[in-house]
Amino acid sequence: MISPLPRSAGRAVPALAAALALALSSGCTGAARPAARPPLDERVAATAAPALRALYDQRIDWRNCPGEDDGDQDAAAVRCATLKVPLDYADPGGRTVDVALAKVPAADPKRRLGALLLNPGGPGNSGVDMVRWGWQSYQGPLHDRYDLVGFDPRGAGDTTPVHCLDDRTRDQWNATDDPAYDHARILAEACRARHADLLPHLGTRDTARDLDVLRGALGERRLDFLGFSYGTHLGARYAEEFPERTGRLVLDGAVDHSAPAARLGIEAAVAAETGLRAFAAACATEDGSACPLGADPAAAPQRLARFLDGLRDHPLRAADGRTLTAALGWVAALDVLSDGRRSWPRLREALEPAVTRGDADGLLALADGADGRGEDGRYRTPADAFAAISCADGPPPPTEAELRPALAELAARAPLTSGHDPVGTLLEADCRPWPYRPAEPPRPVRAPGSAPLLVIGSTADPVTPYAWAERLSAGLEHGVLLTREGDGHTAYDKSGCVRAAVTAFLVDGRLPAAGTHCGSD
């Protein structure tokens, strides 16, 4: 559920009024917060082990980021550091992990509200990169009033990165059209061989505890947080673990962990298929004879799927000698489609030479971008971290008895997007052979006693379906749902209305009214 990506939640007005009252009692007002570092006992429970209390009280040493270009004013605004946290919270005095951090200080320090922690999703994407290279996206009230702080969750970026497959093996693994279980077995064995000591400690519950140590070390009494896609699961888990420390949390592109893995896979595939069909039909309707999928909007989706599936038996050779397979073609198409209609021209431009001339370069470049493969052939960490974190979290993988009816339903409801690799479509992270399994079954996150959480869902999100936002907000004891009408994954960067609502909540503590809907830009 990677990021940068109608109906109300059925909450009665009195419930929203109670949520607003709780927000005010939890400090969700527009008043500036004191800059002085609060006493340790106000940042961590007095009952915490001495070793853990010392970590909450550590001083973060902010310095110039490595490789910073002195002539780049935007880069010069960013500071980097590391934070020490326990590898195993059951043994806080044992081995520690260095969490990579990046910060852009508030532009208006006299009116500073505190630190706003950002997470871009994944799981496995880098919050450090999000701040270093993307903080300008939050200029205005958020940057004026908050220090923008990014962090690399454990297993990702520069925080104990999980690298399981070497680059050559990853090339073969990404390109193969063999059954998904072979992929899962190869990856699980490689991760166990390289990271056996780390894998049991990569779950979101551990990362939520890291967030709380970071909050305390930053000198914040409560956590203010803006999370996208997987970041919504992290934020919700934080609210469940530390309800009394919850400040203003925004969860955009909600991930739901209340249903079994197969059910979530079917729902995600149906959402992706809706996006694919919309793109193909629009290409045929709007571009006419210029559309590589023909001029018939009813036939265009099937033609697109047949072309991509056909790469299994008739792969295309790229200029660099590499091969565009069905697996790579589908990765390219679905990744671009995840951003919605504003990215449709990119996919059409890559498809046209592939379909009409057998030129694979454009689609292969899109697949490389989705897979995190650089021009030098080296891979970033998200691919391995995605599986390691997903499998540490659950929900538990389906049994063989559960798999058969789920695959039949998948074929009926999402025949185009699932035909090339049904199991891989159903189980985006196939955890069946994974060496470590989560103990808890799927269940709603409730977070009783937390401040209100603002949950944002988009009606045609092709990655995290709108129903997931409905379920997450309904399950949370103090969840408030904001709906964006439109396609594409996550809403903040696609709607001025959503950005205004997020700013009003984070800066002034004002929640949107129940049933609020926003349009798209």
Side-chain angles (χ1 to χ4, degrees):
M1 292 72 177
I2 298 178
S3 170
L5 113 263
R7 303 167 298 282
S8 72
R11 301 199 184 289
V13 173
L16 182 62
L20 283 165
L22 180 59
L24 294 174
S25 67
S26 301
C28 288
T29 70
R33 299 176 190 173
R37 186 178 175 91
L40 178 61
D41 283 347
E42 295 184 18
R43 292 179 279 122
V44 61
T47 55
L52 186 58
R53 287 173 63 83
L55 292 173
Y56 272 83
D57 206 32
Q58 66 187 290
R59 297 279 177 165
I60 300 174
D61 184 16
W62 297 103
R63 299 174 179 265
N64 288 345
C65 296
E68 179 184 297
D69 182 358
D70 292 337
D72 186 339
Q73 292 184 346
D74 287 340
V78 187
R79 293 291 179 267
C80 290
T82 58
L83 173 85
K84 288 194 178 299
V85 298
L87 171 66
D88 182 355
Y89 277 87
D91 181 21
R95 177 181 165 189
T96 59
V97 167
D98 288 336
V99 176
L101 308 174
K103 178 180 77 169
V104 177
D108 187 354
K110 291 184 178 180
R111 302 175 68 226
R112 176 183 177 274
L113 289 170
L116 177 64
L117 274 63
L118 304 172
N119 181 271
N125 287 344
S126 168
V128 168
D129 286 352
M130 181 184 188
V131 168
R132 287 193 69 178
W133 315 119
W135 65 267
Q136 299 91 339
S137 300
Y138 306 97
Q139 291 199 80
L142 293 187
H143 176 220
D144 290 344
R145 306 294 298 278
Y146 281 103
D147 297 341
L148 304 176
V149 179
F151 60 96
D152 288 347
R154 49 178 67 200
D158 290 325
T159 302
T160 59
V162 174
H163 280 292
C164 302
L165 303 180
D166 60 64
D167 293 330
R168 183 183 296 273
T169 303
R170 172 63 67 180
D171 270 344
Q172 297 169 348
W173 196 89
N174 286 341
T176 185
D177 292 324
D178 291 337
Y181 190 85
D182 289 343
H183 286 193
R185 177 182 53 78
I186 292 168
L187 182 61
E189 291 175 355
C191 288
R192 177 166 47 191
R194 295 191 179 193
H195 302 289
D197 58 339
L198 184 60
L199 295 183
H201 306 292
L202 293 181
T204 299
R205 200 171 295 279
D206 283 310
T207 300
R209 292 169 178 168
D210 295 345
L211 263 183
D212 200 54
V213 174
L214 176 55
R215 174 199 56 75
L218 289 169
E220 302 296 331
R221 290 186 174 90
R222 294 176 302 278
L223 179 79
D224 296 329
F225 177 84
L226 174 56
F228 300 92
S229 196
Y230 162 79
T232 67
H233 180 51
L234 175 57
R237 286 296 188 202
Y238 179 89
E240 183 174 64
E241 289 284 314
F242 305 99
E244 75 285 358
R245 302 295 188 191
T246 305
R248 304 166 189 171
L249 272 65
V250 178
L251 313 179
D252 182 5
V255 172
D256 176 42
H257 274 246
S258 67
R263 172 57 44 198
L264 297 176
I266 291 170
E267 292 173 349
V270 170
E273 178 133 339
T274 300
L276 180 141
R277 289 180 179 274
F279 158 75
C283 178
T285 301
E286 298 167 8
D287 293 339
S289 60
C291 176
L293 305 175
D296 182 354
Q302 288 80 3
R303 185 173 182 188
L304 173 56
R306 283 198 303 270
F307 167 75
L308 295 173
D309 288 343
L311 295 171
R312 176 185 291 271
D313 296 323
H314 303 286
L316 301 180
R317 184 73 63 179
D320 64 0
R322 296 165 63 213
T323 300
L324 179 70
T325 62
L328 290 171
W330 274 105
V331 164
L334 294 178
D335 185 68
V336 175
L337 290 175
S338 71
D339 201 33
R341 64 187 62 241
R342 66 183 183 181
S343 291
W344 288 356
R346 289 176 56 219
L347 180 56
R348 194 192 70 77
E349 290 166 7
L351 277 171
E352 193 278 329
V355 172
T356 61
R357 303 192 302 276
D359 182 346
D361 290 353
L363 281 177
L364 193 57
L366 294 179
D368 286 347
D371 287 331
R373 186 184 194 275
E375 293 182 1
D376 59 359
R378 300 183 65 184
Y379 284 87
R380 303 189 302 274
T381 58
D384 293 340
F386 179 92
I389 296 170
S390 296
C391 292
D393 277 351
T399 65
E400 291 302 315
E402 294 167 333
L403 197 58
R404 287 190 293 273
L407 289 172
E409 182 179 351
L410 178 70
R413 298 184 61 191
L416 302 185
T417 54
S418 68
H420 69 293
D421 182 3
V423 174
T425 302
L426 186 70
L427 306 174
E428 190 174 13
D430 187 351
C431 303
R432 289 176 296 166
W434 201 254
Y436 303 99
R437 300 284 178 86
E440 60 180 293
R443 60 173 180 78
V445 179
R446 295 202 52 77
S450 76
L453 283 74
L454 179 59
V455 179
I456 306 173
S458 299
T459 55
D461 189 319
V463 179
T464 55
Y466 180 65
W468 293 4
E470 291 181 303
R471 293 205 296 259
L472 178 61
S473 62
L476 289 165
E477 192 165 288
H478 302 291
V480 177
L481 178 63
L482 172 64
T483 299
R484 176 181 70 94
E485 300 278 357
D487 64 2
H489 185 36
T490 71
Y492 182 84
D493 64 334
K494 300 176 181 68
S495 169
C497 170
V498 169
R499 289 190 293 276
V502 169
T503 299
F505 177 54
L506 289 175
V507 174
D508 298 317
R510 288 187 287 110
L511 284 162
T516 297
H517 289 230
C518 283
S520 299
D521 293 342

